[in-house]
Amino acid sequence: MIAMDREVLLDEAVALLRRLIETPRLSRHEGEAADVLEGFLRGRGLACERIGSNLVLGLERHDDSLPTLLLCAHIDTVKPTTAWTREPYVPSLEGEALYGIGANDDGASLVCLLQAYRMLLQSKQPYNLLLALTAEEEVSGKGGIESVLPLLPRVDVALVGEPTAMQPAIAEKGLMVLDVTAKGKAGHAARQEGDNAIYHAIDDMQWFRTYQFPKQSPLLGAVKMTVTVVSAGTQHNVIPSECQFTVDVRSNELYSNEELLSLITQSVKSEVKARSTRLGSSSISPSHPLVRRTVELGGKPFGSPTLSDQALLPFPSLKLGPGDSRRSHTADEYILLQELRQAIPCYYRLLDGLSL
């Protein structure tokens, strides 16, 4: 294969993952973790560009005559919940399970992609290879991948490392958060006066609960709308003149968020404002060479309900990485060493010599 020992690569990956677990790296506070990664990279002779708390590798070797493949994984984590029974920032190895914050999401994908990247550099590839280690993914922040993209050359396709049990997610649901306001008129609760905004809100909430958009995706299913926060009223004897509620909308690839917003606004009586429409659904053609290679290696394409940096990528992308999405954002998060052991050579086999 190549002159890099698999066990050495695994040992390095585990050691680096342990250091990341020990380094708090909440979204928008990834600087120290980026320092750790930059030190690891430079210590192994790998040039990197630092963009805020993002690290990009491979820019110095770019050849305009070749297509470009971007590998991407995120540095940051969510805040640990109070349900942890272990210290989240102390890596703990119990049998095959390495426990710690971000071990599964997204440390495992990050260290495995990094080691696979090093392996791929040992031989000439028929494409430009870039690696981006990004910040602010968990909050879809503008200081993450969005700040990196303008500085990259043209990218033809990306592989985003996320916990998918090394199965290819070829479509991903988008996200749009709506702030909805139902209007009424204040009055005294003891008299027949006023116009209760809560009752108007209930009618619209029922629409959000039951309406089905006609276009359903074979991979992602239906658009999903969920009322998640409600606020109304000032005291028991005052008819509320306003009721505010929040709706979480998960779009499929058959609708843009802008299209959904227009349809929703036309269908309810309340005022509807989207916090953002930039996190759209994403997909890649099943016939794309990257997807075909995953299938040749035994992968089974599926649609993912969870959001990633893919939502901000303006080119085709596929999500693939070690671990299980169901462990993400949970107490006592862990990754299995066997998952790391399998992921590094799997990434290499998938990408080595790939014709784009």
Side-chain angles (χ1 to χ4, degrees):
M1 193 161 103
I2 51 178
M4 298 187 81
D5 185 88
R6 288 190 184 186
E7 287 304 314
V8 171
L9 288 170
L10 175 65
D11 290 345
E12 285 186 344
V14 172
L16 180 57
L17 182 53
R18 282 178 171 272
R19 289 194 65 193
L20 289 174
I21 291 170
E22 292 170 341
T23 308
R25 56 199 193 283
L26 298 178
S27 302
R28 299 192 176 97
H29 301 279
E30 306 93 340
E32 187 177 350
D35 292 341
V36 168
L37 289 166
E38 187 173 5
F40 178 91
L41 297 171
R42 297 194 185 282
R44 285 151 184 81
L46 294 170
C48 64
E49 293 289 330
R50 180 82 175 253
I51 304 162
S53 293
N54 305 276
L55 299 168
V56 181
L57 293 80
L59 292 172
E60 75 284 356
R61 295 185 307 275
H62 185 75
D63 181 345
D64 286 337
S65 68
L66 296 176
T68 298
L69 167 65
L70 172 67
L71 307 179
C72 181
H74 68 91
I75 301 170
D76 58 318
T77 72
V78 296
K79 185 178 181 180
T81 73
T82 56
W84 275 79
T85 64
R86 299 166 174 82
E87 170 51 53
Y89 295 106
V90 176
S92 171
L93 184 61
E94 300 178 20
E96 277 279 297
L98 177 61
Y99 291 88
I101 188 75
N104 179 77
D105 181 18
D106 192 34
S109 290
L110 187 152
V111 298
C112 289
L113 273 178
L114 173 53
Q115 297 297 64
Y117 172 85
R118 294 175 63 200
M119 294 170 70
L120 290 163
L121 291 184
Q122 301 303 301
S123 56
K124 177 68 174 175
Q125 300 297 336
Y127 52 81
N128 297 302
L129 181 62
L130 301 176
L131 172 63
L133 308 178
T134 63
E136 300 189 16
E137 188 272 348
E138 295 291 3
V139 294
S140 300
K142 292 184 179 294
I145 187 65
E146 199 167 8
S147 69
V148 172
L149 290 174
L151 306 176
L152 300 182
R154 182 179 63 86
V155 174
D156 295 274
V157 67
L159 189 157
V160 178
E162 288 279 349
T164 69
M166 292 308 289
Q167 294 298 321
I170 65 171
E172 176 184 89
K173 280 200 168 181
L175 169 65
M176 180 170 58
V177 180
L178 304 179
D179 292 312
V180 186
T181 304
K183 298 287 189 176
K185 183 179 179 181
H188 198 298
R191 293 191 288 268
Q192 294 296 327
E193 61 183 32
D195 182 16
N196 198 322
I198 293 177
Y199 298 152
H200 295 300
I202 288 173
D203 291 339
D204 284 341
M205 288 182 200
Q206 183 65 9
W207 182 87
F208 281 111
R209 181 181 182 183
T210 60
Y211 184 75
Q212 291 289 313
F213 289 96
K215 298 178 188 177
Q216 300 206 14
S217 164
L219 286 166
L220 296 175
V223 173
K224 187 174 186 297
M225 301 187 292
T226 309
V227 176
T228 54
V229 180
V230 181
S231 176
T234 55
Q235 59 190 61
H236 76 90
N237 57 354
V238 177
I239 300 294
S241 61
E242 187 172 285
C243 179
Q244 298 176 330
F245 59 98
T246 302
V247 184
D248 178 291
V249 181
R250 302 287 170 157
S251 52
N252 63 29
E253 79 279 18
L254 304 179
Y255 293 94
S256 69
N257 282 341
E258 292 82 1
E259 184 179 5
L260 289 174
L261 179 60
S262 176
L263 292 169
I264 291 168
T265 302
Q266 295 171 34
S267 301
V268 299
K269 295 179 180 178
S270 300
E271 296 178 359
V272 180
K273 293 182 179 179
R275 296 181 187 177
S276 171
T277 58
R278 61 194 259 271
L279 302 176
S281 177
S282 60
S283 64
I284 186 172
S285 170
S287 64
H288 192 282
L290 182 57
V291 179
R292 292 205 309 268
R293 176 68 75 87
T294 66
V295 173
E296 290 168 3
L297 294 174
K300 297 180 180 179
F302 73 101
S304 171
T306 57
L307 199 70
S308 74
D309 273 338
Q310 280 184 290
L312 297 170
L313 300 182
F315 37 78
S317 60
L318 177 151
K319 187 162 65 177
L320 179 80
D324 189 329
S325 181
R326 290 171 295 185
R327 299 178 203 150
S328 301
H329 305 182
T330 63
D332 298 333
E333 180 183 354
Y334 68 91
I335 191 72
L336 299 175
L337 297 188
Q338 182 63 18
E339 293 171 320
L340 302 178
R341 188 175 295 110
Q342 293 171 346
I344 298 171
C346 181
Y347 278 140
Y348 175 78
R349 289 193 301 270
L350 171 64
L351 301 174
D352 185 39
L354 178 65
S355 177
L356 297 174

